[in-house]
Amino acid sequence: MNIRDLVCIGCPMGCQLQVKLEGDKVIEVSGNTCKKGAEYGEKECTNPTRIVTSSVYVKDGNVDVVPVKTESDIPKGKIFDCVKALKGVVKAPINIGDVVVTNIADTGVNIIATKKVYKAS
Ligand code: SF4
């Protein structure tokens, strides 16, 4: 049996989780205060994923960069590829929720803007 100690990132309480594994299979999650922690512990040991936030350069905008994020979780192992693929430039104007990059790093997930950028006057 293998035991992994994790800190739950589900909320600021940061519960200390202990995940018992038999091979790749999760046998038990303990230390969680709520159901969300058990789900996080299991997922983190079997299929870890993250929302990625970053920024992208903007051309012709009232600001030079726009904050962006993945529309949903992507596999943790794809984070580096995702950030690397965000080296491009987008053109203003940009609205919140606009897709800035489609299918980032072949994850099937789009990158969207999280702030409005106006066209420079
Ligand atoms: S187990 Fe629940 S209460 Fe504890 S950190 Fe995770 S989400 Fe928060």
Side-chain angles (χ1 to χ4, degrees):
M1 186 187 307
N2 191 13
I3 294 177
R4 279 189 65 187
D5 292 311
L6 302 170
V7 176
C8 180
I9 59 171
C11 83
M13 272 182 67
C15 296
Q16 304 280 325
L17 307 179
Q18 199 173 62
V19 183
K20 289 182 188 164
L21 295 142
E22 201 73 69
D24 291 343
K25 195 167 186 269
V26 173
I27 305 299
E28 185 189 348
V29 179
S30 58
N32 53 303
T33 304
C34 70
K35 195 177 156 200
K36 199 171 160 186
E39 288 166 0
Y40 169 77
E42 180 160 357
K43 194 161 172 257
E44 188 64 9
C45 291
T46 54
N47 178 30
T49 60
R50 293 287 185 277
I51 292 278
V52 175
T53 60
S54 187
S55 54
V56 174
Y57 286 109
V58 175
K59 187 180 177 200
D60 300 332
N62 65 322
V63 292
D64 293 333
V65 293
V66 60
V68 297
K69 72 177 193 75
T70 51
E71 240 174 349
S72 60
D73 285 12
I74 64 167
K76 206 171 165 184
K78 286 277 192 172
I79 292 174
F80 184 73
D81 290 343
C82 174
V83 172
K84 223 167 101 181
L86 284 173
K87 299 288 180 209
V89 175
V90 290
K91 203 167 159 37
I94 301 160
N95 287 305
I96 294 172
D98 278 1
V99 174
V100 171
V101 181
T102 55
N103 187 22
I104 189 82
D106 287 327
T107 57
V109 174
N110 296 329
I111 296 287
I112 57 169
T114 59
K115 190 177 174 188
K116 189 173 178 74
V117 178
Y118 296 93
K119 203 167 168 56
S121 46

